[in-house]
Amino acid sequence: MNPSVKIFSGTGSQKLAEKIAQRFGATIGKINIQKFSDGEFQPVFLESIRGDYVFLVQSTYAPTDNLMELLLMIDAAKRASAYKVIAVIPYYGFARQDRKDKPRVAIGAKLIATLLEAAGADRIITMDLHAAQIQGFFDVPVDHLDSSAIFIPYIEQLKLENLAFAAPDVGSTNRVREIASYFNAEMVICDKHRKRANEIASMVVIGDVAGKDIVLVDDICDTGGTLAKAAGLLKEKGARSVRALITHPVLSGNAYENIENSVLEELVVCDTIPLRKESAKIKAISVADLFAIAIRNAYENKSITSLFIHSQLKGRNK
């Protein structure tokens, strides 16, 4: 008898997990997160998972309770004799700490990978890591999904007349170049310099944006300061319109105010992190279908290559 699939959610990704399970064709598994008065918590599976493929959906955004909850769920599933335990992490927190960029700092992304493996994860399914090489921090398989499969159809239906793409910083150029190549569109770069985290000292635009409909593309929007400054600068340089497509809406601090007061036409995000509040300028697109397909293919040992932009580009160039 083949192992069956069971999908469970942590408290940080319940709505998305329910959508994923629905798209997959399953009901969300029963789990209870017991909480003690001092803040300690304990996940308890309320159904048998012996011999099953167990997919645990949880984004590890702040607070760190989300990460700890996921680790405890993995451990509980292993001790309950699950056949395979797969951590589905739509947003992989601490990914910005992927290297020692200054003396005496931690490499947080590597530490989280070590913790997930130590807890007993057999596979990781995630989306748009801040740095793709984080996959190499793991000794278990990593399915690294690409949000371009969500964003490209959205851009196509906009039917922008003079489309161009912008990278809000040098670090996102590879991500933006792939999407620009798909549309045979030009790409510009907003080169920024920071004095400290979340504070931009200066920014310049590399490339011509006059009369163009600009789409900014990046993986994370934290305080929204970079996006607001980049959008304003692009408009000053003559862009006809500026909108942004960002995978993970961290949106901390004054992010909502920064976006609403900016010249952005809209900010389109994925639902890898639930929005804290509604905004007229912010629109969320669900990644549930993409993750449901990835879960199905992981279970059936099928390739997920068709979900990536590079395979679509190869198909167009034949």
Side-chain angles (χ1 to χ4, degrees):
M1 194 164 142
N2 290 331
S4 60
V5 170
K6 291 193 176 175
I7 301 172
F8 296 88
S9 173
T11 55
S13 299
Q14 286 181 331
K15 288 185 178 179
L16 176 57
E18 288 169 3
K19 289 180 186 175
I20 292 172
Q22 183 181 28
R23 303 294 198 278
F24 182 83
T27 55
I28 197 78
K30 296 177 182 178
I31 187 172
N32 181 38
I33 310 296
Q34 295 184 347
K35 296 194 175 180
F36 302 95
S37 62
D38 65 348
E40 184 180 333
F41 47 84
Q42 181 184 51
V44 181
F45 291 96
L46 302 179
E47 57 188 272
S48 175
I49 54 175
R50 184 179 294 271
D52 293 329
Y53 274 90
V54 174
F55 292 85
L56 305 173
V57 183
Q58 178 84 310
S59 284
T60 55
Y61 58 94
T64 50
D65 283 4
N66 287 321
L67 171 61
M68 193 64 193
E69 195 177 279
L70 175 60
L71 294 171
L72 289 170
M73 287 194 296
I74 294 169
D75 184 70
K78 295 296 285 190
R79 295 178 188 280
S81 300
Y83 175 61
K84 296 287 184 182
V85 179
I86 297 92
V88 180
I89 312 173
Y91 170 66
Y92 185 92
F94 293 86
R96 285 174 283 188
Q97 300 180 44
D98 63 316
R99 65 198 184 283
K100 285 190 70 174
D101 55 354
K102 59 179 77 71
R104 299 173 296 281
V105 297
I107 303 179
K110 167 59 179 168
L111 175 60
I112 303 307
T114 302
L115 290 171
L116 289 165
E117 289 188 356
D122 295 298
R123 176 183 290 269
I124 307 295
I125 302 177
T126 189
M127 171 177 275
D128 281 6
L129 291 166
H130 188 62
Q133 63 266 25
I134 290 173
Q135 296 171 81
F137 293 167
F138 289 91
D139 291 322
V140 297
V142 177
D143 293 324
H144 183 209
L145 305 182
D146 188 344
S147 64
S148 60
I150 306 290
F151 287 144
I152 283 175
Y154 184 83
I155 298 168
E156 288 175 331
Q157 61 90 26
L158 291 173
K159 300 187 184 303
L160 298 172
E161 292 181 11
N162 198 5
L163 177 63
F165 291 87
D169 55 43
V170 175
S172 58
T173 52
N174 287 339
R175 184 190 316 274
V176 179
R177 186 178 290 112
E178 276 199 335
I179 297 180
S181 298
Y182 182 92
F183 287 95
N184 292 317
E186 294 181 22
M187 183 187 83
V188 300
I189 300 171
C190 301
D191 186 25
K192 67 184 177 185
H193 169 67
R194 292 190 190 274
K195 282 187 176 178
R196 56 185 65 88
N198 298 126
E199 186 177 319
I200 301 168
S202 62
M203 180 179 284
V204 296
V205 174
I206 303 171
D208 181 23
V209 299
K212 293 181 175 144
D213 295 304
I214 303 293
V215 177
L216 284 155
V217 180
D218 207 356
D219 63 317
I220 295 173
C221 178
D222 192 347
T223 64
T226 296
L227 277 186
K229 191 173 183 69
L233 192 56
L234 290 164
K235 287 288 280 187
E236 286 177 17
K237 296 293 183 181
R240 183 165 61 179
S241 68
V242 184
R243 53 180 33 86
L245 274 61
I246 308 294
T247 310
H248 307 298
V250 175
L251 300 178
S252 66
N254 296 324
Y256 283 87
E257 291 77 9
N258 289 337
I259 297 303
E260 287 165 4
N261 295 329
S262 73
V263 299
L264 284 168
E265 300 279 328
E266 61 180 350
L267 168 61
V268 182
V269 300
C270 296
D271 60 349
T272 56
I273 300 173
L275 296 174
R276 288 187 287 115
K277 62 181 182 180
E278 292 186 358
S279 169
K281 281 195 176 183
I282 301 175
K283 177 180 181 180
I285 301 176
S286 185
V287 296
D289 284 332
L290 203 60
F291 276 94
I293 294 170
I295 289 172
R296 172 75 64 189
N297 288 10
Y299 172 59
E300 297 178 352
N301 290 316
K302 292 181 179 178
S303 171
I304 62 168
T305 301
S306 62
L307 301 179
F308 296 95
I309 187 174
H310 57 72
S311 67
Q312 298 176 41
L313 283 167
K314 286 179 182 177
R316 295 180 83 183
N317 294 331
K318 284 183 180 179

